[in-house]
Amino acid sequence: MKITSDVLGLKDLEKALKKVEGQTKGKVLRSALRKGAKPVHDDMASDVTTKFDAQTGQLAESIKTKTALNKKGSHSIFDAAAYVGVYRNKKAQAATGSALDAPVYAYWLETGVKPHILNPKGAANLLHPGFDGQPFVRPALINNEEKVISTVKKELAVGIERAIKRQSK
């Protein structure tokens, strides 16, 4: 799912970011993106624990925030991204003894499952009744869109200002 919107003030921040040198530019961007993504991460984790009976905790442990910058090294606001989602967590999966990866389980919970036969090739053909999806990923993103944008803008401005001050010393 991708959300797009027009954000005022990013061009000014981009100009200011160009004044920051080297790897500091990437650090400033990553920090702002992580702080901006935190409300989405927190809402997802909260929904998982309240909506679902977390017997093992594997799903909650698998919610992660990742950031990505362009590989050219000329970091720009317009080619940086933060991703919040359910990622494979081998450690949590091994601790729970689950055969399923958390992203598969999360997809089923998010979208629901149609009724189906559990063991079509086996002797005992049991029918799974299916269930309706209980979204927790999409609402976390949609409900925090404005907060994410404002936090990223604020944190970028603060980080850029701090980096420029450090460089001038």
Side-chain angles (χ1 to χ4, degrees), residues 17 20-29 159 163 166-167:
L17 185 64
V20 178
E21 297 173 1
Q23 290 185 337
T24 305
K25 192 182 295 188
K27 290 178 184 178
V28 168
L29 270 171
R166 270 193 226 133
Q167 284 176 189

Side-chain angles (χ1 to χ4, degrees), residues 60-128:
E61 286 290 318
S62 299
I63 297 172
K64 302 288 179 207
T65 300
K66 296 182 178 188
T67 58
L69 304 176
N70 71 346
K71 300 201 186 296
K72 298 174 194 168
S74 57
H75 304 304
S76 163
I77 292 170
F78 303 107
D79 57 5
Y83 303 95
V84 182
V86 180
Y87 294 94
R88 187 165 188 215
N89 185 334
K90 291 180 183 179
K91 184 178 175 183
Q93 186 177 356
T96 61
S98 174
L100 287 175
D101 290 338
V104 173
Y105 186 54
Y107 176 78
W108 290 340
L109 292 173
E110 181 84 6
T111 62
V113 175
K114 293 180 181 178
H116 60 279
I117 296 172
L118 286 175
N119 191 6
K121 294 181 182 176
N125 287 336
L126 301 173
L127 180 67
H128 186 285

Side-chain angles (χ1 to χ4, degrees), residues 3 35-36 42-43 65 75 80 98 128 140-141 154:
I3 292 179
K35 288 178 183 174
D42 292 346
D43 277 5
T65 300
H75 304 304
S98 174
H128 186 285
L141 179 60
K154 184 183 92 183

Side-chain angles (χ1 to χ4, degrees), residues 39-52 60 63 136 140:
V40 176
H41 182 277
D42 292 346
D43 277 5
M44 281 177 64
S46 174
D47 275 0
V48 163
T49 56
T50 57
K51 285 184 177 180
F52 311 112
I63 297 172
F136 64 97

Side-chain angles (χ1 to χ4, degrees), residues 129-141:
F131 57 87
D132 292 332
Q134 295 181 28
F136 64 97
V137 175
R138 289 172 286 172
L141 179 60

